[in-house]
Amino acid sequence: MATLSAPIARLRRRFAHTPWRALLEAAARAGYLARGAVYLSIGAMALLAALDVTPKAEGAIGALESWGAWPAGFVLLWLVGLGLYGFAGWRVLQSLFDADRLGRSARAIVGRIGQAISGVAYAGLAISVFGLLDAIEDLGEADDQAASREAVAKALELPSGDLLVIAGGLFILGAGIASFARAFVDHFGRDLECEDKTADWLGGLARVGYAARGIALAPAGLLLVSAGLNTRASDARGLEGALNLLGRGPFGEPVLALTGVGLLAFGAFAIVEGWLRPIRVPRKPGA
């Protein structure tokens, strides 16, 4: 219980002395919770699709759309949207101000660039969540694949748009490969503020989650590269299309089920990480 209550106690002390830093820490922790909620939803839908309970797997927006049918769905979507903005802001602190104290080595710079891009992506997802709220109110239907194709079609209309799309696909592919690799080389529980046995168990949970996230992102990146090479927006399918592609491949249903379970693990770890990881809000830029 002492471990679980430590972040609250620390936030209380910070609110008494540096309220703005406490507010930033609270926003960052809420962001991890929102990120976890998104992946829990994606993983659950993928698992249900593998079990033929639902017709297909869903991406982030499609999975969150189902929340609209719950009595408290609109409130939950508002909280997730705000939380994702908080996570995007935390990524800014991590990337620009080196909140995690990664340093200035080549590996650290690459990591901070990835954090910056991640921040942009989660800010975009937050905007999409609030767009989803409007769509539900208007009885519209969210479609991750349609949104991906529309974005790619607009990009292809730009000068050298095909190269931009290919670069985006290569980045997503690289993120998937990096996520899968981290499952085998990273010590996810090392920095969590908890007992060693708990940290070891949570590290194992994270490895399963990161491996599944890599498996899901890699085909999404390949499909986007294909869209750029063929200048054909219809090839872009987003995470929803990538998961359903896995489900139609060899040993499709077991692979999709395992990926869904892994994404559930990723979401669960994100929630725990948001509670137990140290959040170092810089006193000033570069501090």
Side-chain angles (χ1 to χ4, degrees):
M1 292 299 294
T3 298
L4 294 176
S5 62
I8 295 178
R10 183 165 51 249
L11 278 173
R12 287 176 177 174
R13 291 194 300 269
R14 284 188 175 175
F15 268 117
H17 298 94
T18 52
W20 70 272
R21 292 184 69 205
L23 186 61
L24 288 174
E25 179 181 342
R29 294 193 186 280
Y32 279 99
L33 298 179
R35 183 195 197 196
V38 170
Y39 274 96
L40 285 176
S41 298
I42 296 172
M45 293 298 288
L47 181 57
L48 291 174
L51 298 174
D52 291 327
V53 177
T54 59
K56 63 178 182 176
E58 297 283 0
I61 296 302
L64 291 175
E65 183 188 16
S66 62
W67 292 21
W70 299 353
F74 276 84
V75 175
L76 291 174
L77 286 170
W78 267 94
L79 292 175
V80 167
L82 293 173
L84 291 172
Y85 276 127
F87 191 74
W90 170 240
R91 285 304 201 205
V92 171
L93 291 178
Q94 287 178 302
S95 60
L96 297 184
F97 303 138
D98 195 17
D100 286 336
R101 296 175 173 83
L102 297 178
R104 297 186 177 181
S105 66
R107 180 179 179 182
I109 294 300
V110 170
R112 289 169 64 180
I113 291 173
Q115 289 170 337
I117 296 174
S118 172
V120 173
Y122 279 102
L125 180 56
I127 293 171
S128 297
V129 169
F130 287 108
L132 173 61
L133 285 165
D134 291 336
I136 292 175
E137 288 178 348
D138 296 336
L139 300 180
E141 293 185 359
D143 188 327
D144 286 14
Q145 291 194 55
S148 297
R149 290 168 180 167
E150 181 180 358
V152 170
K154 290 180 179 179
L156 289 173
E157 293 173 357
L158 299 173
S160 301
D162 55 339
L163 297 180
L164 291 174
V165 172
I166 291 170
L170 289 174
F171 175 80
I172 294 174
L173 175 61
I177 294 172
S179 183
F180 189 81
R182 284 189 66 186
F184 299 95
V185 301
D186 215 330
H187 301 283
F188 296 99
R190 179 173 54 194
D191 296 328
L192 299 181
E193 297 176 337
C194 59
E195 296 179 355
D196 291 342
K197 289 184 178 180
T198 303
D200 290 341
W201 185 86
L202 291 173
L205 182 70
R207 289 186 184 90
V208 172
Y210 272 83
R213 183 171 179 260
I215 291 171
L217 286 178
L222 288 172
L223 289 169
L224 192 54
V225 169
S226 174
L229 289 173
N230 298 316
T231 61
R232 192 166 55 210
S234 60
D235 286 354
R237 303 181 192 177
L239 185 56
E240 173 187 337
L243 288 170
N244 285 302
L245 185 64
L246 288 174
R248 292 193 297 270
F251 306 103
E253 290 185 352
V255 170
L256 183 59
L258 289 173
T259 303
V261 170
L263 293 175
L264 286 170
F266 185 89
F269 178 76
I271 290 173
V272 174
E273 185 181 17
W275 193 256
L276 297 180
R277 93 184 305 274
I279 302 289
R280 305 180 182 95
V281 178
R283 293 181 181 276
K284 59 181 179 179

